[in-house]
Amino acid sequence: MARYELVKRSVALITLTNPPVNALSSAVRHAIAKSMECALSDPKVTAVVICGENGSFCGGADIREFAGPLKGPPLVPLLDAIEAGEKPVVAAIEGVALGGGFELALVCHYRIAHSKARLGLPEVTLGILPAAGGTQRLPRLIGISAALELITTGRHISAQEALKLGIVDQVTEQNACEVAVEFALRAVAKPLLSRRVSMPCKPREIRSAAVMGIKRECLHGHEQDLGMVPSLGTMGRGIAVCLARVGISVIAVESENKLLETGRQMVIGMLERDAKRRGVSASLNLLKFTISLQDLKDVNLVIEAVFEDMALKKRVFQELSKVCRPATLFCTNTSGLDVDALAGVTDRPHLVVGMHFFSPAHVMKLLEVVCGPRSSSETIATAMSLGKRMGKVRVAVGNCPGFVGNRMLKPYIDQATFLLEEGDFGFAMGVFRMSDLAGLDVGWRVWKESGLTGSDVDPENPPRRRQGRRYCPIPDMVCEKGRFGQKTGRGWYMYDKRGGTNAKPDPLIQILLETYRSKYGIQPHNISNQEIIERCLFALANEGFRILEDGIAARPEDIDVIYLFGYGFPRHRGGPMFYASMVGLERVLERLEHYHQAHPDVPHLKPSPLLKKLVACGSPPVQKWREHIKTMHSHL
Ligand SMILES: CCCCCCC/C=C/C(=O)SCCNC(=O)CCNC(=O)[C@H](O)C(C)(C)COP(=O)(O)OP(=O)(O)OC[C@H]1O[C@@H](n2cnc3c(N)ncnc32)[C@H](O)[C@@H]1OP(=O)(O)O
């Protein structure tokens, strides 16, 4: 009822043999159980392939046994044991994988399908529901709506559709069994945890954490001696407070005794005020301050919150790799740098994850958990669970420049500055106040690093264009005057003091704009509120559609949560994606097309393919968009 053989010296090949469709009779279930036992206990076996004889994987429960009493091993524990096994199991699907046969494939860690294979859960056509885990595993794998559709219709799908939905890992024209054996050999060294569809990964318990910050001023010194110059900055202080107030022991790293004392006083002050407000005693005994990285050797997790500089962060992670236990998780609070590049310099890339807090970290609710391609499911689950314990609204996102929130901000801010260039200064100033608050130098540094501005860029050749697209240099001109926003008391607005929050229009900015416009012969014109809103918000949502296409966010609701909790998007509008759906996707598309025609050198205004596709499909409601998205990030 199942043949067991060793192929390629280390792969156990289990072939179901129950003609005509290798249905899961009691004898077949018994044979699978025995074969798996052999495979898992034989040290020569490093991987397993399950296939079916005569070009058919498995037609499901053996309907010939339906009339009698259940005999032989029950299917559900058998399938659970296959999934839980410590050796990779690959399903080689030829012909059909239906009902229980499909459920058998779902417990395998990888699925290879022949191009002519068909898969489905036809139970509904027999008046029953999939009873061997299909109703749980399939939604986890492909999302609730797509799974519900397959479960409730019993529709058979092709191998190609299964690939598109993310059910199979590879489709082949060749012998699926041979391809699966080769695949299994390559899967041997890979972690299995994230391949177990049914098992929500268990997070680790975090009892102790370290928070490291390095202020910008220490950057130069740090280049000479990494270990001794860390210093807890604003983000580090906020994160340390968040950790201590939920009972986690925190080691805060400072660079020198003077800074140590200042940092200690600030954190203790924050915790005492916080405890007073909440009517509890401050958890000061959980805090330790140190200037020695050696003190981090036993912590469960480190949150790096150093100055936003890739080279510096890399050095910090290299140093941490030397000091910390091999199991310590490394989290980075970067707001947009490549998490995988940081993982790559450590001795534990699977234990590296982004935890992007928003400033001030002890107040702002949002936490983006950035999943690098090598972050393990356990690492991600731990970061998500820690965020929950800290009372954060957590969204798992993919790894790309700016992740979700800051990536979408770019086209939004670009539009605001282009509007500033074209029109008068009298429109709603949300973008500019926000930029003053965040610090104008942050974006300026990123633009310099990406070659958009700086001493080696000729601003006049060609003017107002960079890298083949429209570019507005006004923000650079503001920064060149040392106006970095609230922290310098001057930015787009003027403030009564450094760090002041009371923004007043600054005549110097008005003069700067007038001089700039006359230099480039720009005739300012009135810009309607409608155009301002459409160009800023539709460009924002348009980037959101691209983020969904790229698999950086799993669903539009995640983007909305990020904007509601991290960027002050008006609650009653529901977030940029919900807002776009309320305006009407046809309208958003039509306006973006209009603005892109008027500004062909602004690629962010070009409607994204997903937006076009959704409109072509009749503008489905937000919760249905996922069905139209091809790319799915396996961790999200
Ligand atoms: C009891 C403990 C286990 C708990 C179960 C847990 C949950 C699992 C539930 C299920 O799996 S329910 C069963 C789901 N499977 C099906 O509904 C498949 C039904 N079959 C088909 O759709 C088709 O037969 C086919 C597989 C697509 C093949 O179609 P084709 O047109 O190529 O050939 P057919 O003439 O239809 O069939 C050929 C031959 O195969 C026999 N057969 C098909 N499926 C089964 C089966 N599941 N069990 C036993 N036999 C099956 C079919 O009767 C034909 O036989 P003959 O008439 O030629 O003798």
Side-chain angles (χ1 to χ4, degrees):
M1 289 290 138
R3 208 168 42 243
Y4 180 88
E5 59 202 300
L6 194 64
V7 296
K8 301 265 173 179
R9 293 204 192 145
S10 63
V11 178
L13 179 63
I14 302 173
T15 310
L16 312 188
T17 56
N18 183 20
V21 292
N22 303 316
L24 295 165
S25 65
S26 58
V28 170
R29 298 196 303 279
H30 183 73
I32 297 175
K34 290 282 305 170
S35 306
M36 280 305 298
E37 230 177 87
C38 283
L40 293 177
S41 59
D42 183 346
K44 288 195 293 302
V45 174
T46 54
V48 182
V49 169
I50 301 180
C51 64
E53 197 174 49
N54 290 333
S56 184
F57 180 70
C58 177
D62 195 326
I63 48 185
R64 293 168 296 198
E65 289 187 354
F66 271 17
L70 175 69
K71 286 189 282 178
L75 189 59
V76 172
L78 169 63
L79 297 190
D80 288 350
I82 296 175
E83 187 182 56
E86 288 303 332
K87 295 180 183 175
V89 183
V90 184
I93 305 170
E94 298 204 313
V96 290
L98 296 175
F102 187 17
E103 289 168 315
L104 170 62
L106 286 176
V107 299
C108 295
H109 307 112
Y110 301 93
R111 288 160 286 281
I112 306 295
H114 187 266
S115 57
K116 298 233 166 64
R118 281 179 299 149
L119 301 90
L121 292 171
E123 283 86 339
V124 70
T125 61
L126 303 174
I128 55 174
L129 282 174
T135 52
Q136 284 81 46
R137 288 193 177 91
L138 194 57
R140 290 220 170 131
L141 197 60
I142 64 174
I144 291 172
S145 341
L148 260 183
E149 195 267 328
L150 293 184
I151 292 165
T152 53
T153 61
R155 187 166 71 84
H156 295 189
I157 57 169
S158 65
Q160 291 71 20
E161 187 175 352
L163 181 69
K164 204 167 138 192
L165 283 169
I167 295 172
V168 299
D169 301 280
Q170 189 181 326
V171 173
T172 178
E173 298 279 342
Q174 289 150 26
N175 181 312
C177 189
E178 285 168 17
V179 175
V181 168
E182 294 303 324
F183 193 100
L185 287 168
R186 291 195 301 275
V188 171
K190 297 191 178 151
L192 279 183
L193 210 57
S194 64
R195 304 297 313 182
R196 295 187 179 116
V197 178
S198 80
M199 296 192 189
C201 189
K202 265 191 146 180
R204 283 202 213 162
E205 196 192 343
I206 299 298
R207 295 212 176 111
S208 60
V211 181
M212 300 188 61
I214 296 180
K215 283 207 279 197
R216 190 187 188 183
E217 299 85 81
C218 297
L219 193 58
H220 182 66
H222 193 86
E223 278 159 11
Q224 293 143 23
D225 177 6
L226 175 90
M228 289 298 115
V229 242
S231 145
L232 207 60
T234 315
M235 284 309 282
R237 285 197 297 269
I239 297 168
V241 166
C242 288
L243 290 166
R245 76 178 164 206
V246 296
I248 295 171
S249 304
V250 186
I251 302 180
V253 185
E254 287 284 3
S255 58
E256 54 181 61
N257 284 324
K258 209 169 115 206
L259 285 170
L260 182 77
E261 194 43 40
T262 318
R264 186 205 305 273
Q265 280 172 15
M266 289 180 96
V267 172
I268 288 174
M270 284 158 83
L271 272 173
E272 281 175 346
R273 281 193 298 280
D274 183 66
K276 212 167 172 184
R277 252 196 314 273
R278 295 189 295 142
V280 294
S281 54
S283 24
L284 304 182
N285 55 342
L286 293 168
L287 288 168
K288 180 175 172 183
F289 290 81
T290 184
I291 55 169
S292 165
L293 282 189
Q294 290 305 321
D295 287 345
L296 308 192
K297 69 178 176 14
D298 290 326
V299 294
N300 300 150
L301 171 143
V302 178
I303 301 178
E304 164 277 304
V306 308
F307 185 67
E308 196 73 346
D309 177 278
M310 179 54 100
L312 173 64
K313 283 179 190 280
K314 278 186 173 172
R315 286 198 300 275
V316 167
F317 275 101
Q318 280 164 343
E319 202 67 21
L320 286 171
S321 296
K322 289 184 211 153
V323 170
C324 296
R325 284 187 299 131
T328 302
L329 262 60
F330 292 166
C331 308
T332 170
N333 178 49
T334 175
S335 58
L337 297 177
D338 184 353
V339 170
D340 195 46
L342 292 173
V345 300
T346 71
D347 57 350
R348 62 197 81 190
H350 63 294
L351 296 184
V352 178
V353 68
M355 286 185 85
H356 178 204
F357 291 86
F358 287 69
S359 184
H362 61 299
V363 176
M364 291 293 284
K365 280 275 181 203
L366 183 65
L367 172 69
E368 282 185 326
V369 171
V370 187
C371 313
R374 289 183 276 179
S375 317
S376 74
S377 300
E378 189 197 29
T379 304
I380 295 165
T382 304
M384 290 293 273
S385 147
L386 180 62
K388 184 174 184 186
R389 202 166 149 196
M390 293 161 98
K392 299 294 177 196
V393 174
R394 303 133 305 133
V395 182
V397 299
N399 182 36
C400 70
F403 316 132
V404 171
N406 286 344
R407 171 170 160 180
M408 285 172 71
L409 214 52
K410 170 90 173 80
Y412 175 64
I413 293 178
D414 272 1
Q415 281 311 307
T417 43
F418 294 157
L419 285 159
L420 182 69
E421 209 177 21
E422 294 162 30
D424 68 27
F425 198 55
F427 62 78
M429 294 304 285
V431 170
F432 297 97
R433 288 216 177 121
M434 184 196 67
S435 303
D436 271 0
L437 175 68
L440 304 183
D441 52 327
V442 181
W444 195 34
R445 195 162 29 80
V446 175
W447 295 318
K448 277 190 201 161
E449 275 164 20
S450 49
L452 288 166
T453 189
S455 50
D456 45 353
V457 176
D458 179 357
E460 299 305 323
N461 196 15
R464 300 170 58 218
R465 284 184 73 80
R466 299 281 193 286
Q467 299 172 359
R469 56 181 71 175
R470 178 171 171 183
Y471 182 80
C472 174
I474 299 174
D476 304 334
M477 293 159 67
V478 173
C479 285
E480 278 155 15
K481 293 185 181 307
R483 302 177 68 116
F484 294 160
Q486 288 185 5
K487 60 183 160 192
T488 56
R490 295 281 186 276
W492 290 108
Y493 285 90
M494 64 179 179
Y495 301 84
D496 37 13
K497 55 176 191 252
R498 279 170 180 262
T501 53
N502 188 13
K504 291 195 200 112
D506 189 339
L508 287 178
I509 290 288
Q510 194 61 44
I511 293 167
L512 181 143
L513 284 172
E514 280 162 15
T515 317
Y516 174 85
R517 290 190 192 123
S518 83
K519 176 175 175 186
Y520 290 107
I522 299 168
Q523 281 300 321
H525 59 280
N526 281 336
I527 299 172
S528 69
N529 282 346
Q530 182 191 339
E531 179 171 349
I532 293 163
I533 288 171
E534 287 179 350
R535 277 177 57 185
C536 292
L537 292 180
F538 293 176
L540 181 75
N542 199 31
E543 191 63 18
F545 286 113
R546 290 188 207 283
I547 280 173
L548 289 171
E549 274 171 336
D550 294 350
I552 293 296
R555 49 190 83 80
E557 293 90 336
D558 284 353
I559 298 179
D560 285 341
V561 165
I562 287 172
Y563 263 78
L564 291 174
F565 287 94
Y567 294 82
F569 201 94
R571 292 279 166 106
H572 65 284
R573 306 268 185 212
M577 308 320 283
F578 186 77
Y579 174 70
S581 79
M582 286 292 101
V583 170
L585 298 187
E586 299 90 335
R587 166 100 187 141
V588 175
L589 176 61
E590 183 264 305
R591 298 313 292 157
L592 280 169
E593 274 166 349
H594 165 81
Y595 291 120
H596 188 235
Q597 216 165 35
H599 306 277
D601 53 355
V602 182
H604 283 130
L605 289 173
K606 185 175 180 192
S608 77
L610 177 60
L611 172 60
K612 286 184 177 170
K613 188 171 167 189
L614 290 171
V615 171
C617 295
S619 301
V622 173
Q623 58 273 23
K624 295 255 173 198
W625 291 0
R626 207 176 133 107
E627 290 165 28
H628 301 267
I629 300 165
K630 273 190 248 135
T631 323
M632 292 281 168
H633 191 299
S634 62
H635 285 319
L636 305 181

